[in-house]
Amino acid sequence: MASPNRRANADASDVGTFGQFLRRAGLAGPIEYLFQVIHGLRHPRLLTGGATAEERSARLPGDDVVADASWIRTRAQTVNVSPTRVWPWLAQLGADRGGWPGWYPFTQPHDTSANQLLGFTIEPGDTLAEVIGPESNARWHVIDLKAPHYLVLHSCRTLGTGRDVDRSTARHWADTSWAFALQPLEGGRTRLLARTRSLVAPRWLGYAVRIIGTGDTVMQRELLAAIARRAEHG
């Protein structure tokens, strides 16, 4: 099970008053992605996924979780340390654990706890909160892992509050897998890959997913870069 060393402010919101309002209204996701796109326009390197054509076409753990995904993206980052030094930073992901390192417009404070290793472990069955606070139910469920090689997360949630749902009975949902793979490179380095596979209902919302996909790329590039910095200097 995860380490009992949870963040001290786990019962308080970390998105600020404006962010709380947007999350309760179900608007935080689209607006946050819009801010991510603007951030990407200021930092153009973040607008591309960073993965090679070979990496984008390769099979990764978790590819069968949302086998009928209509939207698939792979992002990548080279880390100048071994997978065993990168893994602990993946193991503490989660707003109620070590945070989500990177840049997020509505997160306050901006993931200060993610600057250090807190000793978390991670196992299948654990859940990782997207944000601290009652205004969002969004969680990622750990469904598979092999340290220090890969971590597979899954979420099937309502659009808006992020409540877990069964896609066979709900009217609208986003079914998404999020897999991280750590591939060793020569010289004790690591190629860190993150793949997102998603299917949404109703199907016409798939067009919206493609529109906000650029914001998701910016977010994940920032996340991977932040993990790399912490692993290299931690």
Side-chain angles (χ1 to χ4, degrees):
M1 297 181 61
S3 163
N5 182 23
R6 295 281 175 174
R7 286 171 58 175
N9 61 341
D11 294 329
S13 176
D14 70 350
V15 296
T17 303
F18 183 56
Q20 290 174 29
F21 167 76
L22 291 177
R23 292 195 184 281
R24 291 191 184 105
L27 299 173
I31 294 177
E32 188 166 50
Y33 278 126
L34 174 61
F35 275 91
Q36 293 283 9
V37 171
I38 295 172
H39 182 61
L41 292 174
R42 297 178 59 191
H43 306 277
R45 63 178 177 80
L46 299 174
L47 295 174
T48 59
T52 66
E54 183 179 4
E55 289 170 336
R56 291 193 298 270
S57 62
R59 289 280 300 176
L60 291 181
D63 279 356
D64 58 343
V65 175
V66 186
D68 54 351
S70 62
W71 188 81
I72 304 169
R73 293 294 184 274
T74 305
R75 288 82 176 207
Q77 172 80 34
T78 297
V79 191
N80 294 316
V81 294
S82 67
T84 56
R85 290 183 57 185
V86 179
W87 179 262
W89 296 96
L90 289 181
Q92 71 174 28
L93 290 177
D96 55 345
R97 296 158 60 91
W100 298 98
W103 185 83
Y104 303 90
F106 303 137
T107 300
Q108 300 289 339
H110 284 195
D111 304 298
T112 54
S113 65
N115 293 324
Q116 57 184 324
L117 285 175
L118 301 176
F120 280 95
T121 59
I122 191 167
E123 295 181 3
D126 288 345
T127 58
L128 316 180
E130 274 200 4
V131 64
I132 295 172
E135 66 277 348
S136 175
N137 298 305
R139 299 288 188 275
W140 288 98
H141 301 274
V142 181
I143 61 171
D144 193 16
L145 62 83
K146 182 179 180 181
H149 304 292
Y150 63 83
L151 169 66
V152 180
L153 311 178
H154 176 248
S155 172
C156 188
R157 64 181 67 167
T158 58
L159 304 174
T161 63
R163 178 175 55 86
D164 286 351
V165 294
D166 183 341
R167 74 186 235 182
S168 66
T169 58
R171 296 179 58 186
H172 58 85
W173 42 261
D175 191 6
T176 306
S177 64
W178 193 10
F180 297 87
L182 292 81
Q183 300 177 347
L185 300 175
E186 293 183 357
R189 299 178 302 150
T190 301
R191 189 66 168 163
L192 175 59
L193 305 178
R195 175 169 294 168
T196 305
R197 298 175 56 94
S198 186
L199 181 70
V200 299
R203 293 291 181 121
W204 62 265
L205 282 175
Y207 296 106
V209 170
R210 286 170 171 80
I211 293 172
I212 68 175
T214 300
D216 187 66
T217 292
V218 173
M219 180 275 290
Q220 294 211 37
R221 289 299 305 278
E222 285 277 36
L223 173 68
L224 297 183
I227 291 172
R229 288 193 300 272
R230 286 156 175 76
E232 291 170 357
H233 299 102

